[in-house]
Amino acid sequence: MNKKVELSVVVPVLGRIDDLDDLVSGYVDALEGLSTDYEMIFVVDGGVDEAFESLSKIAKASDRLSVVRLARYFGEATVLTAGFDQAKGDLVLTLPAYHQVEPGSLSRLLDEIDSCDVVVARRWPRAGGFFESLRRRTFHMLLKVLSGEDFNDLGCGVRLFRKQVVKEVHLYGDQHRFFPVLAGRYGFRVKEVDVAQSPKDHFRGRYRLREYLHRLLDIATVFFLVRFTKKPLRFFGMIGSAVVAVGGAVVLILVVQRLFFDIGLADRPALLLGSLMLVLGVQIFALGLIGELIIFTHAGSIKEYTIRTIVSKSGNGDGGDPSVRRLKVKGSV
Amino acid sequence: MKLSIVVPLFNEEESITSMHRAIESAMQDFAGSYEVLFVDDGSSDQTFDIACKLAERDPTLKVVQFRRNYGQTPAMAAGIDLAEGDVIVTMDGDLQNDPRDIGKLIEELERGADIAVGWRYKRQDKLLTRKVPSRIANWLIGKITGVPIRDNGCSLKAFRASVIKRIPLYSDMHRFIPAMASIAGTKVAEVQVRHHARQFGVSKYGLGRIYKVLIDLLSIKTIISFSSRPLLWFALLSMPFMIASIGCILASLLAVASGESMSLPIAGTGVLLGSLAMFLVFGGALAELVYKTGDVRLGKLAQLTMEVE
């Protein structure tokens, strides 16, 4: 008796974990109300044994729930990927293991998926003080400036995907946060939907400096991935020539002063700055050239485009290309 | 012989129908079979819907739709990947190329060329923003790659499928196909083609390309130089720094030898430039490693063309 599952719910269990009994019963109540066939997969990262114990108990109560446990600590991207591998549904919903949104408003995501491939929740109206909202806004603004993608709440783990999206977009490292951004780069249509924030959603810890640094690095990574993967020299060249220009200008000014105004070079620290910048700029440029060579020699395995459909009347096979959907004639008999 | 015509389209709802008609009428007298691939590069207008309607009537037409806008080169690359013909022709979707010239290009291939590129000898574009930059770009490309082709930017080209399917096509590389191909030992022929003034819409390119073209030229120079004499290019780059460095160090040593005190700025500059030169040489060695372990090499293409003949 193999029931067809429509919706797979993946819950990564790591880091911040709230009272699971309460949380899961809230999710289950909401999912039962959706009138779809669903399965719920908890993926427990290594090292959180208490959570695994209590989840195993909860999961025994229903055959829709299952628990996957990873052998050691892997981090959220891997945990999510493990969950996606288990998912059988056509739609995949990720939910956090702590109170973030009102479970009752999950249906809003399902309403929107018909017209797009990814729906991300945005907690709105949002609780939190001035400083927190400023921090959040700065983050998303930086992201928008650097990658051109406009999102308002990437910290929210509530996201609904079509199966194809989680199959095609590869997650690694710390990129789970930017999943919607990456999906957008793969050409999937991404939409943001407002959902009610859970009254229990408040982060009790403090953000340490390391967190900020990580986020900044993440943004830099996404920026590079989005803009310059295929043409590294455009990126390196831009920075390299800017550095060379500044360094050159400094050196030029000093040399002119030395030659025409007789100000000695020996006691000018600016000379050191200028000449070092010149050297650094050329080095950055050279790295860009090596990058170009890497891309060129691997061009055979890089595919730059993604195909949504191929339409033709003769329709002779789909070429075995995973990114190509079945050939079909749109609108004909 | 089977022919595949690849046409990238981006927001061409006005011209696509007449484009299709022009191709159909141009191909009427064609002896072999042919297919047309319209590649819709994530258009935001009706291009895809109109193309689908055309495909319903025309069994030779295949419409490929991208998920989002990727650019002209990926669109061409997709068309080339999916093409089934022995000969592949690429052309613009904006009616500025004339499908009636396809025959001429194919004749050149039959005469033994591997690639026939169109040369828009009477170009119908704005002088200052299109023609002059393009002249300069073509001259530069010719100088740097050593392959003087008068019109690298013309999209109307014909290729032997076995050759073009092996040439890496990404980013804006389509501009350098003739140059890359001819360095790899393929025969490139130039054919005069007609060029029409733009009927609909505005050109999708502007002056903003200059930086990109310059940077791409540097990349292609690097790639090409690695196909023949690796290390040489990086050694060449490091040469001026090396000479300046040796000069500076010698000057300061001479100063010491003649009893003066050593000039710190000059000696320092010498050491810095010397280290930069070393960095570049080692960078070149690293690059050669990358090139050797990669799976795409222009040299391999040369072997390929020998198989063809």
Side-chain angles (χ1 to χ4, degrees), chain A residues 301-320:
Chain A
S301 50
I302 298 173
K303 208 159 144 207
E304 215 179 345
Y305 54 86
T306 51
I307 291 170
R308 181 170 289 141
T309 46
I310 296 180
V311 180
S312 84
K313 199 166 184 189
S314 49
N316 44 355
D318 52 8

Side-chain angles (χ1 to χ4, degrees), chain A residues 231 297 305-306 308 311, chain B residues 63 65 68 70 81 171 295:
Chain A
K231 282 272 132 190
T297 52
Y305 54 86
T306 51
R308 181 170 289 141
V311 180
Chain B
V63 183
Q65 186 190 27
R68 67 171 177 85
Y70 283 94
D81 288 347
S171 245
D295 36 40

Side-chain angles (χ1 to χ4, degrees), chain A residues 77-305:
Chain A
T78 314
V79 169
L80 278 174
T81 312
F84 295 152
D85 288 345
Q86 302 286 322
K88 292 191 277 291
D90 298 329
L91 295 174
V92 180
L93 175 69
T94 61
L95 292 173
Y98 51 93
H99 295 284
Q100 219 174 26
V101 297
E102 280 294 348
S105 52
L106 290 178
S107 61
R108 308 198 48 181
L109 288 125
L110 285 160
D111 295 339
E112 295 291 339
I113 195 76
D114 284 336
S115 60
C116 56
D117 303 305
V118 181
V119 185
V120 284
R122 172 202 189 195
R123 288 164 285 176
W124 196 258
R126 186 80 184 261
F130 169 76
F131 181 66
E132 210 184 302
S133 123
L134 181 77
R135 185 178 51 75
R136 197 166 53 233
R137 258 189 224 153
T138 319
F139 172 78
H140 290 104
M141 212 175 66
L142 254 178
L143 182 78
K144 192 184 171 185
V145 170
L146 289 176
S147 75
E149 308 280 334
D150 194 5
F151 289 100
N152 292 303
D153 193 1
L154 283 178
C156 187
V158 182
R159 291 153 182 177
L160 182 62
F161 305 92
R162 283 180 193 281
K163 176 116 199 194
Q164 212 189 355
V165 181
V166 299
K167 264 170 133 181
E168 276 185 38
V169 183
H170 293 289
L171 279 183
Y172 58 88
D174 232 2
Q175 288 176 0
H176 56 92
R177 203 172 273 98
F178 299 100
F179 203 167
V181 182
L182 296 174
R185 294 312 296 175
Y186 274 71
F188 291 109
R189 290 158 293 187
V190 185
K191 207 183 233 176
E192 212 173 37
V193 171
D194 290 350
V195 297
Q197 188 179 16
S198 163
K200 291 173 203 151
D201 177 23
H202 39 76
F203 186 54
R204 279 168 296 273
R206 269 192 310 125
Y207 286 99
R208 275 167 302 181
L209 188 65
R210 218 177 61 171
E211 285 286 310
Y212 288 101
L213 276 177
H214 279 185
R215 289 303 87 75
L216 259 169
L217 274 178
D218 286 349
I219 292 185
T221 313
V222 167
F223 172 61
F224 188 76
L225 277 180
V226 164
R227 290 266 158 110
F228 296 105
T229 340
K230 308 290 156 22
K231 282 272 132 190
L233 192 58
R234 286 194 190 156
F235 175 71
F236 286 92
M238 209 161 59
I239 295 178
S241 16
V243 174
V244 165
V246 174
V250 170
V251 170
L252 195 70
I253 290 169
L254 294 182
V255 167
V256 167
Q257 284 180 343
R258 168 72 184 79
L259 291 179
F260 301 107
F261 302 97
D262 210 27
I263 306 173
L265 278 176
D267 45 358
R268 304 287 299 271
L271 178 68
L272 197 63
L273 176 78
S275 43
L276 271 179
M277 279 180 94
L278 267 176
V279 170
L280 180 66
V282 176
Q283 288 180 340
I284 295 174
F285 220 94
L287 285 181
L289 286 180
I290 297 176
E292 283 290 333
L293 218 60
I294 294 178
I295 296 294
F296 177 81
T297 52
H298 293 82
S301 50
I302 298 173
K303 208 159 144 207
E304 215 179 345
Y305 54 86

Side-chain angles (χ1 to χ4, degrees), chain A residues 7 9-13 16 18-34 38-42 55 58 64-65 93-107 109 156-159 196 198 201:
Chain A
L7 176 70
V9 182
V10 174
V11 184
V13 185
R16 190 174 154 196
D18 278 350
D19 174 24
L20 286 165
D21 287 310
D22 181 28
L23 183 83
V24 174
S25 67
Y27 284 157
V28 168
D29 285 346
L31 291 168
E32 293 288 349
L34 289 176
Y38 73 92
E39 58 170 353
M40 199 163 181
I41 304 159
F42 297 94
L55 277 172
I58 299 170
R64 288 180 185 278
L65 308 186
L93 175 69
T94 61
L95 292 173
Y98 51 93
H99 295 284
Q100 219 174 26
V101 297
E102 280 294 348
S105 52
L106 290 178
S107 61
L109 288 125
C156 187
V158 182
R159 291 153 182 177
S198 163
D201 177 23

